[in-house]
Amino acid sequence: MAELSTDHLLGIKYITPKDIELIFSIADNFKEVINRPIKKVPTLRDVTIANIFFENSTRTKLSFELAEKRLSADVINFSAGASSVTKGETLVDTVNNILAMKTDMVVMRHPNAGAAAFLSKHVDAKIVNAGDGAHEHPTQALLDAFSIREKLGDVKGKKVLIVGDILHSRVALSNIFCLQKLGAEVRLCGPATLMPKYIESLGVKIEPDFRKALEWCDVTNMLRIQMERQETKYFPSLREYTMQYGLTKKILDSLDKEIVVMHPGPINRGVEITSDVADSEHSIILNQVENGVAIRMAVLYLLAEKIKR
Amino acid sequence: MTKNLLIKKALVIDSKSIHNGQTVDILIENGKIVEVKKTIVSKHKTFAADNLHVSQGWIDMRANFCDPGYEHKEDIQSGLIAAQKGGFTEVAVMPSTYPVTDSKSGIEYMLNAARESSVNLLPIGATSQQMKGDCIAEMLDMKKAGAAAFSDDKRSIQNAELLKTALLYAKSFDGLIIHFPNDKSIAGKGQVNEGSTSTANGLLGLPSLAEELMVARDLFLAEYCDSKIHLTCVSTAKSVDLIRNAKAKGIKVTCDTTAHHLLLDDSNIATFDTRYKTMPPLRSKNDIKALIKGINDGTIDVIVSDHTPEDIESKKKEFDLAKFGIIGLESAFGVLNTSLSKYVDLEKIINTISIAPRTIMGLEAPTIEVGNAANITMFNPKKEWIFTESDILSKSKNSPFIGSSLEGRALATYSGKKLSFC
């Protein structure tokens, strides 16, 4: 049976288009499973997974935990707040302590870029990166591409726009890598203050005009404005951001084609998109959430296959 | 002690010496050069080697010895031993100690601790008190105690008025200010060079602009004060251009770059390997080209090791949390020569680690001529070798060059009436 080319999921950068196709085909099966009356399979019985979150997360953590439980894995959760990290323990020691209790896989979110890659070199467990700083959030990109494939039949040849804070966004980076690997074209739109100076070296184009960008695309992915992450003010007010980059029903209706609207959540209603857009037939935001569980089940399943048992 | 020594068949690389470019025998008696001739017959101990070259003893213009305060990373003894291993007979040491070396007693501590060594330590005192950048330190008192220059090390002086004051104040006693150009408001918490690699890896970029803005400011200040200034760890193409133009205008600026910035570019950080995390960050291949051009045309005067020891606890970490710094004393010549040998004359290369730093710091040059005290580095610029952990005599091992194949190696030094093998 086919298997992944890597032992960890550290980022989309490190996996092949074939890996992505494999994850999608397994996720197709799991999507069917989670829509059955009995949503659980025994596949990962006797696999112990630690969800280690050094940064706040609600939906990603929930989605992973649900995926793990649907696969019948044993799950432990660890949040940095009340932990030894604040007592000065190193990341490697923290994780090795958890592994000493016989854990097979680690799902980790961490505020520093490269933390998952660093961990994979120093501990003996399969690592799934659930977001590392402004680097990658691979499962989010996979579920985004999976949702586009589900809605439009294929990702190849599609034009995908990513709008907003590209500078601080691991979602943007993983999406760029994933969509490119699947043959889609990616453009970016957002304030120049939130656009990395060298982003075009990744093979994407910047379209500063939001309206033109929307006219170009088949899908628009509206990134969340993360006010809590920004140390400097990159724009004067949310109001002014919304004036320039907020997606409204009025704009959507004025386009001469139908486009698909995505959002990695949680939405700031009335900032990135208005409520009527979020709740419209253009939006596949809740499909993304549902697909997130299936994608994460597929990733965990494929990595568990690599554990020598 | 090896008071007497005969060096056989050595090619002299010393542009100040009448023997420059000649292959000669050199006779040393009681620490002094007594004879330099085509062939000398003597009963003294002899030193001979394949492709043997000699030059004035090498001098490193910036190293950190972490002593006092951080002796678990390096101390003055281990630092001097590491310097000798790399072929250096003199080394200028930064004041990043705890407490900061910002007073006469700090300078005296360093000099006392180095007294027995064959490697001459040149203490650099802090420019500002505790290197806080608020008010200038007692530079005159430190100079009288033996400080070779003044610097706040990698803590760039953000306040232009303070640097102006320091430059003016140091003029009356010919003090040299060494300044590291890095505008903090632009640099922010940047971890690596801003470029395609930082972008693809989600690491916060430190733009070249942070350096270049401050180079420009410092040049204006030096011009205004009519003072000399030495800019350290210059790493970008535009900085080199700015300094080149300033020199042409007659501004009294000199500068250095580091050995590792000549060989390594920022693509190395794609694996989040913290051994490559250094300040200023490793730059692009284009910047390396510009640095080499700057060495060739004399814009860059000096190459330094920027020896910055860090313990494993400070390096085996998430990239953002790891400390900046690379050790370099043991590998510096191999690294800089590997980068430069194809593009720069050997004489020019050796100049950057011997004659130029001494001229800038106003030190006496130990020219290889009869009558002078022998202060000599013996080396083979073509020697191919692999740099291994066993070549590191520093207490810290934070080198990205372990396992690298290098061209050119110091074989031995003679200084302080002593022959020491490298």
Side-chain angles (χ1 to χ4, degrees), chain A residues 236-251:
Chain A
S237 63
L238 278 179
R239 181 176 161 271
E240 197 157 299
Y241 178 85
T242 307
M243 276 164 64
Q244 212 174 350
Y245 304 103
L247 185 60
T248 63
K249 194 80 179 28
K250 198 173 146 198
I251 301 176

Side-chain angles (χ1 to χ4, degrees), chain A residues 13 110 112 121 134-135 173 201, chain B residues 196 199-202 271 318 320:
Chain A
K13 209 178 348 185
H110 195 284
N112 297 127
K121 284 181 202 137
H135 181 217
L173 209 52
S201 67
Chain B
S196 54
T199 307
N201 291 287
T271 55
E318 298 89 314
D320 289 349

Side-chain angles (χ1 to χ4, degrees), chain B residues 64-177:
Chain B
N64 270 290
F65 283 178
C66 315
D67 180 1
Y70 310 101
E71 294 90 341
H72 59 293
K73 297 181 181 181
E74 195 82 286
D75 61 33
I76 289 172
Q77 298 314 321
S78 65
L80 290 169
I81 289 168
Q84 195 283 323
K85 177 81 181 168
F88 294 98
T89 62
E90 279 191 280
V91 55
V93 177
M94 283 287 152
S96 292
T97 49
Y98 185 78
V100 169
T101 306
D102 64 353
S103 67
K104 179 172 80 174
S105 60
I107 300 293
E108 284 172 349
Y109 170 82
M110 280 200 195
L111 288 172
N112 277 332
R115 218 170 27 200
E116 302 293 318
S117 174
S118 66
V119 179
N120 187 32
L121 186 151
L122 303 160
I124 296 176
T127 309
S128 73
Q129 291 176 26
Q130 296 177 54
M131 301 200 310
K132 281 186 171 166
D134 298 328
C135 41
I136 55 173
E138 289 182 341
M139 290 191 273
L140 174 62
D141 202 23
M142 285 193 277
K143 171 113 178 172
K144 283 182 172 167
F150 305 96
S151 179
D152 277 3
D153 198 6
K154 296 286 173 74
R155 293 200 206 162
S156 306
I157 296 174
Q158 304 299 309
N159 178 346
E161 170 65 19
L162 183 74
L163 185 58
K164 188 191 107 190
T165 306
L167 288 171
L168 288 172
Y169 184 77
K171 269 172 88 168
S172 65
F173 49 89
D174 200 27
L176 175 70
I177 307 281

Side-chain angles (χ1 to χ4, degrees), chain B residues 180-220:
Chain B
F180 170 60
N182 184 35
D183 185 312
K184 274 197 175 161
S185 69
I186 297 290
K189 290 185 179 165
Q191 300 289 316
V192 296
N193 182 45
E194 184 186 57
S196 54
T197 311
S198 71
T199 307
N201 291 287
L203 287 165
L204 196 56
L206 198 162
S208 303
L209 179 66
E211 176 175 316
E212 292 146 4
L213 268 183
M214 200 164 263
V215 167
R217 182 201 78 171
D218 289 359
L219 294 172
F220 275 116

